[in-house]
């Protein structure tokens, strides 16, 4: 084992290090013996088994093209069976590539693989193992750039502050910087939410909605609005009214506002509540133009939630016919 490399990464990821006899020649071809002794060669052999869409993301990560993976590369897609090695999915192959990259001390490619597999690890409960590799890279190769998405994942998992002082990412433009900042603020709100500090979580979550709107990140907006709705339903009526005065535009696109709008005595005078709810929900739906956008659990949840909220709003609104005539 090479100095500085921790043994057992495959085991931590739940992947066996033993390959069947018929799989080995399929991966290595005629170079089986040399590849087994050369982790750098074996790494290239395994990378060749990945589909183009995943390899393109690894290459983009090496070029630091974006601080976050595109939302259309979903964890579910990564968990699909690999066409070259049907007994494995793409994630398992990426785990092997990561292990080989660390053995070969190719920390840049290792960091790129971590970036690509990060969301899938988080979804399937392997973030702890992945962050152990991140920690090792930061220790043995501090000059290796770690993507903001991964640094922020560490903050999510460890309930840290979201500080990016360990991140050496070079932002291509202000939009990338603002997007990263928006996620940081969102994490702060999420931490407060997880701690049961519902009222205190409102401000950072509202700020994150504004920041995500600047960069047109509909997924980020939906996530923050979802957290907002869970916080607002925990507030007292007086607290909600006070916060609505502070944030008259933001605190309207969730279940809590609909509840308060319905219980108002003069509900017929509260048309603007329903108008705003519908407007915000339509923005949420705008990110789901085709079935392809519903592959992840989060996106499907936001889609169903938006449709459900619209149906409730139309059911309670005194102007349902007007909305229908306007084409909603």
């Amino acid at each position: 084992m090479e100095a500085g490399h921790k043994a057992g990464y495959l085991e931590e990821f739940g992947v066996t290090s033993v390959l069947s006899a018929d799989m080995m020649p399929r991966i290595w071809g005629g170079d089986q013996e040399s590849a087994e002794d050369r982790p750098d060669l074996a790494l290239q052999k395994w990378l060749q088994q990945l589909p183009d869409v995943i390899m393109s993301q690894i290459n983009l990560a090496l070029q630091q093209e974006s601080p976050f993976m595109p939302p259309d590369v979903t964890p579910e897609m990564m968990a699909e069976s690999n066409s070259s090695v049907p007994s494995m999915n793409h994630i398992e192959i990426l785990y092997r590539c990561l292990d080989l990259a660390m053995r070969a001390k190719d920390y840049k490619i290792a960091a790129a693989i971590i970036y690509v597999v990060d969301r899938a690890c988080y979804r399937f409960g392997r973030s702890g193992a992945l962050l152990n590799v991140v920690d090792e890279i930061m220790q043995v190769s501090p000059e290796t750039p770690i993507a903001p998405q991964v640094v922020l994942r560490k903050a999510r998992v460890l309930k840290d502050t979201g500080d990016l002082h360990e991140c050496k990412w070079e932002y291509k433009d202000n939009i990338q910087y603002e997007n990263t900042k928006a996620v940081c603020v969102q994490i702060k709100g999420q931490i407060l939410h997880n701690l049961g500090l519902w009222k205190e979580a409102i401000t950072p979550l509202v700020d994150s909605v504004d920041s995500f709107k600047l960069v047109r990140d509909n997924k980020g907006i939906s996530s923050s609005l979802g957290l907002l709705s869970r916080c607002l339903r925990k507030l007292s009526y007086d607290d909600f009214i006070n916060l609505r005065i502070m944030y008259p535009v933001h605190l309207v696109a969730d279940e809590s506002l609909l509840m308060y709008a319905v219980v108002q005595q003069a509900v017929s005078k509260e048309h603007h509540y329903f108008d705003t709810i519908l407007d915000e929900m339509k923005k949420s739906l705008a990110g789901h133009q085709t079935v392809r956008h519903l592959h992840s659990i989060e996106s499907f949840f936001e889609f169903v939630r938006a449709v459900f909220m619209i149906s409730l709003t139309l059911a309670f609104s005194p102007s349902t016919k007007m909305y229908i005539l306007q084409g909603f």
Side-chain angles (χ1 to χ4, degrees):
M1 181 182 69
E2 292 84 350
H5 173 65
K6 177 182 177 180
Y9 278 137
L10 290 180
E11 183 177 347
E12 288 188 33
F13 287 121
V15 178
T16 177
S17 60
V18 179
L19 298 178
S20 62
D22 62 330
M23 187 184 300
M24 295 171 71
R26 183 184 307 173
I27 302 297
W28 287 310
D31 300 327
Q32 178 176 334
E33 184 175 350
S34 60
E36 287 179 327
D37 297 331
R38 292 276 304 277
D40 55 333
L41 294 180
L43 171 61
Q44 296 305 316
K45 294 292 185 181
W46 278 103
L47 287 173
Q48 291 171 10
Q49 312 308 314
L50 293 169
D52 291 341
V53 64
I54 294 180
M55 273 308 304
S56 66
Q57 292 302 320
I58 292 176
N59 290 327
L60 290 174
L62 288 170
Q63 300 168 30
Q64 300 186 37
E65 284 296 322
S66 175
F68 296 95
M69 280 280 287
D72 55 338
V73 183
T74 65
E76 289 78 13
M77 186 193 79
M78 304 280 281
E80 292 175 356
S81 177
N82 182 271
S83 59
S84 300
V85 190
S87 61
M88 295 184 182
N89 59 37
H90 304 318
I91 302 174
E92 292 171 322
I93 292 179
L94 284 166
Y95 288 158
R96 292 183 181 277
C97 291
L98 177 57
D99 182 72
L100 288 166
M102 293 298 290
R103 287 169 54 192
K105 299 183 181 180
D106 192 339
Y107 299 118
K108 287 187 177 180
I109 190 71
I113 294 170
I114 288 170
Y115 166 79
V116 171
V117 80
D118 164 63
R119 285 180 179 164
C121 281
Y122 187 65
R123 170 64 57 80
F124 301 118
R126 298 292 183 182
S127 279
L130 192 69
L131 292 177
N132 286 339
V133 187
V134 174
D135 289 340
E136 181 175 339
I137 293 175
M138 288 180 169
Q139 180 179 0
V140 301
S141 181
E143 70 280 3
T144 299
I146 304 296
Q149 173 181 303
V150 177
V151 178
L152 289 168
R153 182 73 65 206
K154 185 177 181 181
R156 289 184 189 274
V157 173
L158 301 178
K159 297 295 185 290
D160 208 339
T161 61
D163 184 9
L164 287 179
H165 70 279
E166 294 178 316
C167 184
K168 297 178 174 62
W169 196 266
E170 294 291 335
Y171 297 102
K172 299 292 184 181
D173 51 42
N174 191 57
I175 291 179
Q176 293 187 358
Y177 173 79
E178 290 294 335
N179 197 9
T180 302
K181 186 173 72 172
V183 177
C184 289
V185 177
Q186 184 191 61
I187 289 174
K188 180 179 179 181
Q190 186 175 17
I191 292 172
L192 291 170
H193 163 270
N194 291 345
L195 293 174
L197 301 174
W198 321 113
K199 186 176 179 181
E200 290 77 5
I202 299 296
T203 295
L205 289 174
V206 167
D207 290 343
S208 71
V209 170
D210 287 338
S211 296
F212 282 127
K213 284 182 178 179
L214 289 176
V215 296
R216 299 180 180 180
D217 186 341
N218 288 330
K219 184 177 184 295
I221 293 171
S222 296
S223 297
S224 290
L225 287 176
L227 286 168
L228 266 175
S229 68
R230 290 194 286 273
C231 290
L232 290 171
R233 71 179 62 178
K234 298 290 186 178
L235 300 181
S236 67
Y237 179 78
D238 290 338
D239 282 341
F240 176 81
I241 294 300
N242 290 333
L243 284 167
R244 199 184 71 188
I245 294 173
M246 293 174 59
Y247 306 110
V249 176
H250 302 81
L251 303 190
V252 292
D254 57 42
E255 298 92 331
S256 298
L257 177 64
L258 181 58
M259 178 181 68
Y260 287 122
V262 170
V263 300
Q264 297 297 315
Q265 292 182 354
V267 69
S268 61
K269 298 180 180 180
E270 307 300 335
H271 290 177
H272 62 284
Y273 288 172
F274 299 104
D275 288 337
T276 311
I277 292 172
L278 291 175
D279 182 59
E280 291 296 327
M281 289 300 100
K282 284 192 288 185
K283 290 179 182 177
S284 180
L285 286 177
H288 309 90
Q289 298 292 335
T290 66
V291 175
R292 182 173 60 86
H293 294 92
L294 299 178
H295 282 181
S296 71
I297 293 176
E298 292 97 334
S299 61
F300 185 75
F301 168 78
E302 292 301 334
F303 175 79
V304 173
R305 174 182 174 273
V307 173
F308 179 64
M309 280 294 297
I310 288 170
S311 67
L312 287 180
T313 304
L314 292 176
F316 285 117
S317 172
S319 303
T320 298
K321 291 183 179 179
M322 177 188 69
Y323 291 127
I324 295 175
L325 290 174
Q326 291 177 347
F328 168 54

